Amino acid sequence: MVFVKTHDIDELTTQLIGTQVILGGWVEDFRKLGKMSFITLRDVTGISQVIVKGELNDNLGEINRQSVVSVKGIVQETKARDFAFEVKADEIEVLGKAIHPLPVDPIGRVESNIDTRLNHRALDMRNQKTASIFKLRHYVLQSLRKTLSEKKFIEITTPKIIGSASEGGANLFSLDYFGKTAYLAQSPQLYKEQMTIGLERVFEISNFYRAENSHTGRHLSEFTSIDIEAAFMDYNDVMDVLEFLVMEVYKYTSEKCKKEQEIIGYTIEVPKSPFERITYSQCIKELQKSGEKIEFGDDLLDSHLRVIGDSHPGFFFLIDWPMKLKPFYIREKDEDVTLSRSFDLQFGYLELSSGGTRLHNPEMLKARLKEQNLDPMQFQDHLKTFDWGMPPHSGWGMGLDRLMTTLIGIDNVREVVLYPRDPDRLSP
Ligand code: AMO
């Protein structure tokens, strides 16, 4: 038999009763009851019952669960409670046998810990909860691309192998590049800024790399970032874009992904808009009030963010950080040059995004690089573009994996990444 499917399981309808179909999928359950056998067959769209009788049943050997089979048969009504239809098999072919027992139970009846599941990720994807998370991720990406395109952002792809650091020196993976040292990009920062001189509004959704020796539920060595950069926009404008985008993701997936939410066991709650905008100074005062030893100018540690997150659950912006805590490309405020036009988007304690208005004056940018002990010579290729009519611009980067965790109420990014990379995990 050929293994071409005529239908996906979710395409079986009343109109097809009496029609011959060819289905393909995995055996979720196999029961041989003397004169007949029942197969529960799953494909990516759903689950169906296959009934085997007569000579075909007599000649049918044992089929291991999770083997992949092709079934040719006639669609008919069923007495089974859990199914709308069944297929009475005329031919069954095992296309790929599954070993028994499998290293993880794809039905999820026997729970496996996350490390075991990640070690067998392809098989874990047959677990409906895992598959639903990745279907949801697909719709999140769809929504992001749609909204940004509608707002006239052009999707770009910047290089991931680079000759010098994009975010300053720390946390860089280096590699040998034909005898020279190259690095894996930490972000598209410099390239996305450069692209504003020709395309005005750009976005990128790609993987970036951070050699952070962190063992938390929110840090990965390779993460997916959504980045935007926009000419003629201030940090308030790009915060508006970010808020709109997050709201659209929540609205779209809460409507579109009903089945996935049911399987995951979590209801996507569309957040309230507008998101609160709290200044860094207000935040320091709040922390001092709650007894934390912190001064203006100190960075916010995880412990501080947890305190702030407790009193501000959900989405909020933390704005106007001190200049000294922000990267070299961030621009100061006119009314107080110690403060920056910058923000982080928080979800409770979790940082989802950071961004701001950029310096677009080359002399000031050079001075800032020196102030932060970075060598302007290393940034020559970038700096020269600032002499070609660089527009004022702003942007942000947001961790897609972290955004996904907020959507489905989990606290480990590894659950939403196919093959996570962290200091302890380089394979599969
Ligand atoms: P930043 O370094 O704050 O900013 O990164 C932006 C967002 O990316 C996500 N992120 C990570 N997610 C998982 N694992 C990691 N190791 C990791 N590192 C970062 C976070 C974070 O908020 N160029 C600037 C952005 C800009 O100004 O446009 C930047 O990279 O969600």
Side-chain angles (χ1 to χ4, degrees):
M1 190 200 287
V2 285
F3 46 83
V4 177
K5 292 194 205 192
T6 58
H7 295 81
D8 282 332
I9 285 174
D10 72 348
E11 290 167 352
L12 300 185
T13 59
T14 330
Q15 278 82 38
L16 286 174
I17 288 176
T19 312
Q20 188 178 66
V21 295
I22 304 175
L23 304 180
W26 290 265
V27 175
E28 195 154 293
D29 207 3
F30 177 73
R31 280 166 301 139
K32 205 154 195 203
L33 307 171
K35 285 202 154 58
M36 57 176 118
S37 299
F38 293 97
I39 297 172
T40 308
L41 187 73
R42 184 183 286 284
D43 71 9
V44 76
T45 66
I47 167 167
S48 180
Q49 173 160 277
V50 175
I51 182 163
V52 194
K53 288 182 174 168
E55 203 181 324
L56 186 61
N57 184 53
D58 297 340
N59 298 330
L60 192 68
E62 209 35 55
I63 305 177
N64 283 354
R65 291 203 175 100
Q66 297 301 328
S67 297
V68 58
V69 298
S70 172
V71 176
K72 190 193 252 184
I74 307 289
V75 181
Q76 61 184 32
E77 275 167 356
T78 179
K79 292 193 194 91
R81 244 185 316 133
D82 298 339
F83 302 98
F85 312 98
E86 65 188 16
V87 171
K88 186 176 165 293
D90 295 322
E91 287 177 48
I92 296 176
E93 189 173 348
V94 178
L95 303 171
K97 191 179 158 190
I99 56 161
H100 180 77
L102 287 164
V104 295
D105 171 19
I107 313 292
R109 273 187 218 127
V110 184
E111 283 242 346
S112 302
N113 67 32
I114 180 150
D115 275 319
T116 311
R117 288 195 288 111
L118 290 176
N119 288 340
H120 308 92
R121 193 53 143 168
L123 183 57
D124 183 40
M125 207 51 64
R126 241 185 264 153
N127 180 320
Q128 291 313 292
K129 197 167 166 180
T130 309
S132 294
I133 290 174
F134 287 90
K135 286 177 189 171
L136 196 68
R137 191 175 160 119
H138 161 77
Y139 289 112
V140 168
L141 285 165
Q142 199 177 59
S143 167
L144 291 168
R145 288 204 161 91
K146 179 171 178 285
T147 310
L148 285 167
S149 303
E150 280 167 6
K151 289 195 172 286
K152 300 187 187 155
F153 283 81
I154 303 289
E155 182 160 5
I156 57 169
T157 308
T158 61
K160 305 296 167 279
I161 304 175
I162 55 174
S164 60
S166 39
E167 293 281 337
N171 305 333
L172 272 170
F173 284 112
S174 56
L175 58 108
D176 177 64
Y177 190 76
F178 306 110
K180 291 189 211 117
T181 302
Y183 306 96
L184 293 181
Q186 297 156 299
S187 81
Q189 186 63 37
L190 308 186
Y191 294 112
K192 67 175 179 171
E193 285 193 51
Q194 291 172 24
M195 286 306 106
T196 63
I197 78 173
L199 297 172
E200 286 196 31
R201 274 167 252 174
V202 294
F203 77 99
E204 174 160 16
I205 303 178
S206 285
N207 283 10
F208 291 94
Y209 304 88
R210 306 267 169 117
E212 276 173 297
N213 201 356
S214 300
H215 299 259
T216 73
R218 60 187 190 284
H219 289 98
L220 292 171
S221 315
E222 178 177 45
F223 70 102
T224 304
S225 183
I226 309 139
D227 275 89
I228 76 156
E229 203 62 36
F232 309 109
M233 282 198 189
D234 189 18
Y235 73 129
N236 285 304
D237 303 319
V238 292
M239 268 192 274
D240 289 343
V241 172
L242 179 53
E243 180 167 334
F244 186 78
L245 212 63
V246 169
M247 290 299 292
E248 286 301 305
V249 161
Y250 268 74
K251 285 182 200 163
Y252 183 65
T253 52
S254 75
E255 278 303 309
K256 179 94 186 163
C257 305
K258 299 269 188 230
K259 195 166 135 193
E260 287 75 15
Q261 291 173 72
E262 204 182 304
I263 296 170
I264 295 167
Y266 191 84
T267 307
I268 296 170
E269 297 278 353
V270 178
K272 283 206 178 68
S273 177
F275 300 164
E276 205 181 352
R277 294 185 184 186
I278 308 168
T279 64
Y280 167 88
S281 305
Q282 278 172 298
C283 182
I284 295 297
K285 281 187 197 130
E286 268 192 43
L287 286 168
Q288 287 169 339
K289 252 196 201 156
S290 47
E292 297 290 320
K293 284 197 177 57
I294 188 165
E295 297 296 328
F296 183 91
D298 292 346
D299 205 355
L300 301 181
L301 305 175
D302 186 47
S303 57
H304 299 133
L305 289 171
R306 298 231 174 223
V307 173
I308 294 293
D310 282 346
S311 48
H312 303 272
F315 292 100
F316 64 94
F317 287 103
L318 256 178
I319 64 169
D320 299 354
W321 291 67
M323 275 300 274
K324 68 168 197 178
L325 295 179
K326 285 290 158 181
F328 65 88
Y329 44 79
I330 291 285
R331 188 171 162 182
E332 73 290 343
K333 294 193 82 167
D334 290 339
E335 58 278 26
D336 180 351
V337 293
T338 64
L339 293 180
S340 63
R341 301 179 193 221
S342 67
F343 61 87
D344 281 3
L345 175 64
Q346 295 287 134
F347 182 79
Y349 81 94
L350 182 68
E351 178 201 311
L352 284 181
S353 168
S354 32
T357 307
R358 323 300 191 183
L359 279 171
H360 74 284
N361 174 314
E363 293 316 314
M364 288 170 82
L365 192 55
K366 261 181 240 166
R368 277 282 284 167
L369 281 166
K370 285 187 194 148
E371 234 175 81
Q372 297 206 351
N373 292 321
L374 293 164
D375 178 6
M377 288 300 284
Q378 294 285 322
F379 291 84
Q380 256 182 332
D381 282 336
H382 183 54
L383 285 169
K384 70 185 181 200
T385 67
F386 283 65
D387 292 328
W388 300 341
M390 178 61 77
H393 57 280
S394 302
W396 47 255
M398 171 163 63
L400 173 69
D401 316 309
R402 291 189 186 178
L403 177 68
M404 284 294 304
T405 64
T406 71
L407 206 61
I408 50 173
I410 50 168
D411 56 11
N412 191 346
V413 282
R414 287 159 190 79
E415 292 283 2
V416 301
V417 175
L418 276 187
Y419 291 97
R421 295 287 177 254
D422 63 32
D424 300 321
R425 184 171 280 283
L426 186 55
S427 57

